[in-house]
Amino acid sequence: MSGNSSYNPTGAVEKWFDERLPIIRFSKEHLMDFPTPKNINYWWTFGAVLAFILVVQIITGIVLAMHYVPNSELAFDSVEAIRRDVNYGRIIQATHAVGASMFFAAVYIHIFRGLYYGSYKAPREILWILGVLIFVLMMATAFMGYVLPWGQMSFWAATVITNIFAAIPIIGDPILALLRGGFAVDNATLNRFFSLHYLLPFILAAVVGLHIWALHVPGNNNPVGVEVKSSHDTLPFHPYFTMKDLFVIVVFLIPFSWFVFFAPDILGHPDNYIPADPLLTPPHIVPEWYFLPFYAILRAIDFDMLFISSKLGGVIFFGGSIIVLFFVPWLDGSKVRSGNFRPLFRPFYWLFVLNFLMLTYLGAQVAEGIYVLLSKVGTAYYFAYFLIILPIVSRIETPAPLPASISESVLGKAEASGEKG
Amino acid sequence: MVMNKSRNVFKSLVLAAVMGLTGGLTGLAQAKVVGLEAELQKWSFAGVFGTYDVNQLQRGFQIFQQSCASCHSANLMSFRNLSEEGGPQFSEDQVKALAAEYTIYDPELEDGERQAVPADRWPAPFQTELDARAANSGALPPDFSVLAKARGISQKFPYWAFNYFTGYQEGGPDYIYNLLVNYGEPPADVELPDGQAWNNYLGRGLAMAPPLGDGFISYDGEGVPETLEQYAADVAAFMMWMAEPHLVSRKEMGFRVLTFLFLLAGMMYLVKRKIWANVKH
């Protein structure tokens, strides 16, 4: 969707620039004039929220790296020194730590919005795949960041998560040694995690660039899922959506600040205020909340399948739960995008949302009794939703009639045709 | 139309709240299956308006100094912190005099030691971990610096879920209080190893003998009861300050930030509505 700008360089400097590096034209086209469906609702603002948080994380992270010491003897105290002695350090550190949680809260809303409104369907498959890639990069970055304070949970999370790779046949052990930089989690692990934790966000930012590029080719999906047909269906990005997005970013900052200033530790685990001790395993190792659904899936496979051990099985399902997301555009064959017009799809979708919340809960519980069974049921439904329900529903479902255009859905039939005439 | 839009905003907020709520499901699974339910205390520093009680912190310091510090270190606390804003707020002269009572060991000095100054960290009671274990029947007394944040209490559903909205952050002090006041005789069927004391709150023995009891420490002035409960609360409050010395200024800034954000959000909403006023969407 380029070439929709009315940009005319005014003045000698702009003209000179436009013939050499048309960056002003580019900005005008993509940041101001970009035609955006006028019916997109507030769920569509989370892309902007996520871009904002990424910037916050990178800025706070760069400042923290000026004071942090990536050494197993000094890391814990250096984080405390930031909180105690660096000017505004406690705010910067809390913003970064809480920011990770906020990042995931927003990304889950963003992903579930895409799943409901079929934003992954043609011609937006690559947009979706880049999004899943961003999600994977986020998880890797967040995990390594969590290790850096070198508390008990940091250390044991690093041990448990790197150990996952050991389950891979043949190459598992070399990978494990490469990740840890030795035979056990130690100073070498901390050093490489710090290095990668600083690197990955910039790769992530580059993929975000591609994600937005891939968005600006077909343009936004919208709540009725009907493609833009005419200029009546759209509004320029600025000022309509810049203003709407900024408003939501400010609203989003309210719970964000609540946690930063009034409950900075509530999203973490008390054990991470105990310095890492390789000789003392905490009684109950739990990851951060945003990994819990996948952690529940990992633990749900506690039985051997044929020649596959329970450990390898868990890893396969754990990895599979992410990998399956890459294939969603082809698993869901329905031509209708929006869940609003898919009566059979909707109950399964909401069940999937509830199931995901249940897995989150189960990931935090001790693996015993009823929780084990529920984890298995939840894991089964997670995969069934993508591999069985989506393909079948899209074949047997009779969708509700779609409006002819976005304008029609907004204005009603009579008025829309009047506007066109 | 406006109704509809504000309902959308509301829905987004509800969802954000739900995400936040499921967000914190971790953290609460302290593996304490035996022992007593923690009795929650009223802390002056709890809640959004909570601040430290300077007198309580001074009393807590006295307990720390006269009792705890003989075994426990506090490696991240400097003497100067004791005179800082938001803490026990001893005068600078008091802190100088206090520091002068302590000796800092430093092998690079001519005599290997010197008098402490306010900039020094609180000196540890034992030089090495081995010394500490040798003096405490093999157990290592944990460092106090952030101990109040390294402990928590377990709560049943749905009580922990409210914490995200009340900002309950006092699990550590509550744990410390309950531990200190619940020493007792072990059950008949339990035989404790030598050097262990039974604690009803933990439901197990621990290497720390009951460190406090009624009348153990005499407070200056009148009016504050010299009871185990009072000591426990005072020292727990002091430990919370040690772990979170900037709590008061943090909350103060939080009020300014949130007030600003609410006002800005309101104005942003009005501007947004104005811009969209003539668009049907």
Side-chain angles (χ1 to χ4, degrees):
Chain A
M1 281 211 181
S2 55
N4 41 45
S5 174
S6 54
Y7 177 66
N8 267 322
T10 50
V13 178
E14 276 191 40
K15 275 188 187 126
W16 185 87
F17 239 100
D18 199 48
E19 284 159 13
R20 286 157 181 83
L21 179 70
I23 194 164
I24 304 174
R25 176 183 296 277
F26 180 86
S27 308
K28 182 101 174 23
E29 273 181 21
H30 288 279
L31 300 177
M32 295 178 71
D33 296 342
F34 189 74
T36 309
K38 60 184 178 184
N39 63 335
I40 59 177
N41 56 32
Y42 274 98
W43 300 118
W44 260 264
T45 57
F46 280 89
V49 170
L50 286 162
F52 171 78
I53 307 174
L54 177 60
V55 173
V56 169
Q57 290 300 81
I58 288 180
I59 293 173
T60 51
I62 287 172
V63 177
L64 288 174
M66 296 173 187
H67 301 279
Y68 172 77
V69 186
N71 177 290
S72 59
E73 296 291 320
L74 303 168
F76 186 90
D77 284 355
S78 80
V79 174
E80 271 307 313
I82 291 170
R83 290 198 185 106
R84 285 158 185 267
D85 295 330
V86 173
N87 288 338
Y88 298 100
R90 60 196 154 278
I91 309 297
I92 299 166
Q93 193 276 336
T95 305
H96 197 71
V98 173
S101 282
M102 293 293 130
F103 210 167
F104 276 93
V107 90
Y108 281 129
I109 293 174
H110 194 62
I111 291 171
F112 276 91
R113 188 270 289 159
L115 284 173
Y116 181 80
Y117 290 110
S119 298
Y120 45 81
K121 291 180 192 177
R124 296 186 182 81
E125 300 95 325
I126 292 188
L127 173 59
W128 171 264
I129 288 170
L130 289 168
V132 179
L133 203 58
I134 291 170
F135 182 48
V136 173
L137 284 169
M138 269 177 74
M139 293 206 284
T141 310
F143 160 64
M144 292 186 205
Y146 187 61
V147 174
L148 301 185
W150 212 241
Q152 271 292 66
M153 275 299 155
S154 298
F155 180 90
W156 290 98
T159 304
V160 171
I161 301 294
T162 51
N163 219 0
I164 288 176
F165 291 88
I168 302 170
I170 305 166
I171 54 166
D173 284 331
I175 290 182
L176 182 67
L178 187 66
L179 277 174
R180 290 180 174 175
F183 298 112
V185 173
D186 205 340
N187 191 45
T189 322
L190 179 62
N191 276 287
R192 62 193 55 203
F193 277 19
F194 176 62
S195 172
L196 293 173
H197 183 71
Y198 205 112
L199 168 71
L200 287 186
F202 294 97
I203 295 176
L204 201 152
V207 183
V208 168
L210 293 177
H211 189 64
I212 296 172
W213 185 2
L215 168 71
H216 277 218
V217 176
N220 293 79
N221 182 30
N222 65 82
V224 293
V226 178
E227 284 295 316
V228 168
K229 299 243 164 76
S230 74
S231 58
H232 294 299
D233 293 344
T234 61
L235 292 169
F237 189 69
H238 180 75
Y240 294 97
F241 295 97
T242 43
M243 194 59 223
K244 191 176 178 181
D245 288 348
L246 281 172
F247 163 60
V248 174
I249 287 172
V250 173
V251 172
F252 190 82
L253 277 172
I254 291 171
F256 195 151
S257 309
W258 161 255
F259 284 120
V260 169
F261 291 102
F262 293 99
D265 295 316
I266 207 165
L267 296 166
H269 196 290
D271 273 12
N272 224 25
Y273 279 105
I274 304 171
D277 184 350
L279 300 177
L280 186 71
T281 315
H284 185 200
I285 303 171
V286 279
E288 291 286 85
W289 69 267
Y290 37 82
F291 291 135
L292 290 175
F294 303 102
Y295 190 58
I297 290 174
L298 174 75
R299 291 193 307 180
I301 312 302
D302 56 359
F303 48 90
D304 295 343
M305 288 169 288
L306 301 174
F307 57 91
I308 298 172
S309 68
S310 63
K311 193 178 173 194
L312 179 58
V315 174
I316 290 172
F317 275 74
F318 174 72
S321 63
I322 308 286
I323 290 168
V324 74
L325 294 174
F326 285 105
F327 297 95
V328 173
W330 295 277
L331 291 168
D332 181 359
S334 173
K335 292 279 175 277
V336 176
R337 293 198 186 97
S338 171
N340 284 350
F341 301 95
R342 303 186 58 193
L344 191 56
F345 161 86
R346 267 202 309 272
F348 288 112
Y349 172 82
W350 289 114
L351 193 58
F352 180 74
V353 174
L354 286 179
N355 184 60
F356 196 75
L357 293 176
M358 181 182 82
L359 284 172
T360 308
Y361 179 76
L362 293 172
Q365 305 309 312
V366 184
E368 61 187 20
I370 184 77
Y371 297 135
V372 178
L373 179 68
L374 286 174
S375 297
K376 286 176 186 161
V377 174
T379 303
Y381 186 74
Y382 182 95
F383 283 96
Y385 177 78
F386 290 117
L387 297 174
I388 302 170
I389 293 169
L390 278 186
I392 292 181
V393 164
S394 57
R395 275 177 184 75
I396 61 172
E397 179 180 55
T398 317
L402 289 173
S405 70
I406 292 172
S407 299
E408 190 187 295
S409 78
V410 173
L411 302 170
K413 215 165 197 171
E415 228 180 309
S417 54
E419 196 181 74
K420 270 176 204 160
Chain B
M1 216 46 200
V2 174
M3 278 283 289
N4 198 6
K5 261 186 292 183
S6 45
R7 219 176 54 222
N8 277 339
V9 178
F10 177 72
K11 274 200 296 197
S12 316
L13 289 178
V14 167
L15 189 102
V18 169
M19 294 301 290
L21 199 140
T22 52
L25 293 169
T26 51
L28 304 136
Q30 294 291 297
K32 191 176 78 65
V33 276
V34 285
L36 299 175
E37 194 80 14
E39 232 176 87
L40 301 194
Q41 300 301 301
K42 279 201 178 353
W43 302 103
S44 69
F45 47 86
V48 288
F49 299 106
T51 58
Y52 292 120
D53 172 348
V54 173
N55 291 323
Q56 185 175 41
L57 292 188
Q58 296 200 351
R59 292 195 302 270
F61 171 71
Q62 191 188 343
I63 297 168
F64 166 71
Q65 186 192 17
Q66 294 179 8
S67 177
C68 323
S70 52
C71 296
H72 291 275
S73 59
N75 293 334
L76 299 178
M77 184 180 76
S78 301
F79 286 100
R80 65 178 163 84
N81 296 139
L82 293 166
S83 63
E84 280 167 2
E85 190 82 13
Q89 295 186 26
F90 290 108
S91 72
E92 287 187 21
D93 290 337
Q94 280 175 310
V95 170
K96 228 176 237 173
L98 174 75
E101 293 171 20
Y102 288 83
T103 307
I104 299 294
Y105 296 95
D106 184 346
E108 294 189 359
L109 290 176
E110 202 175 323
D111 304 325
E113 60 179 63
R114 63 170 167 79
Q115 225 175 34
V117 294
D120 280 312
R121 299 291 179 91
W122 187 264
F126 303 105
Q127 292 301 304
T128 66
E129 184 183 327
L130 281 178
D131 292 341
R133 285 188 188 277
N136 289 284
S137 27
L140 178 68
D143 183 82
F144 265 24
S145 311
V146 288
L147 195 59
K149 295 209 286 183
R151 297 291 184 271
I153 53 156
S154 60
Q155 285 170 295
K156 287 199 172 63
F157 183 82
Y159 297 103
W160 54 257
F162 301 142
N163 295 346
Y164 300 99
F165 303 94
T166 59
Y168 173 76
Q169 298 263 281
E170 292 77 43
D174 277 327
Y175 175 99
I176 293 163
Y177 175 88
N178 279 279
L179 183 143
L180 287 173
V181 301
N182 279 305
Y183 277 95
E185 288 301 312
D189 57 332
V190 174
E191 202 170 317
L192 281 181
D194 274 352
Q196 289 224 338
W198 179 259
N199 191 288
N200 286 318
Y201 172 61
L202 297 181
R204 61 174 169 83
L206 75 169
M208 175 168 71
L212 296 169
D214 291 344
F216 271 32
I217 295 195
S218 64
Y219 287 143
D220 287 343
E222 311 253 314
V224 182
E226 293 173 357
T227 59
L228 172 60
E229 285 76 15
Q230 186 65 41
Y231 295 146
D234 290 348
V235 79
F238 176 74
M239 288 171 71
M240 186 62 191
W241 167 77
M242 206 192 289
E244 192 70 60
H246 302 293
L247 174 138
V248 176
S249 72
R250 190 190 75 207
K251 286 183 184 173
E252 278 169 3
M253 187 188 277
F255 274 107
R256 291 199 290 274
V257 169
L258 280 182
T259 311
F260 169 76
L261 284 174
F262 272 108
L263 287 175
L264 183 62
M267 290 194 293
M268 299 280 276
Y269 179 67
L270 294 177
V271 176
K272 187 254 163 198
R273 205 170 62 165
K274 177 87 180 150
I275 289 175
W276 283 76
N278 296 321
V279 182
K280 288 202 168 180
H281 60 283

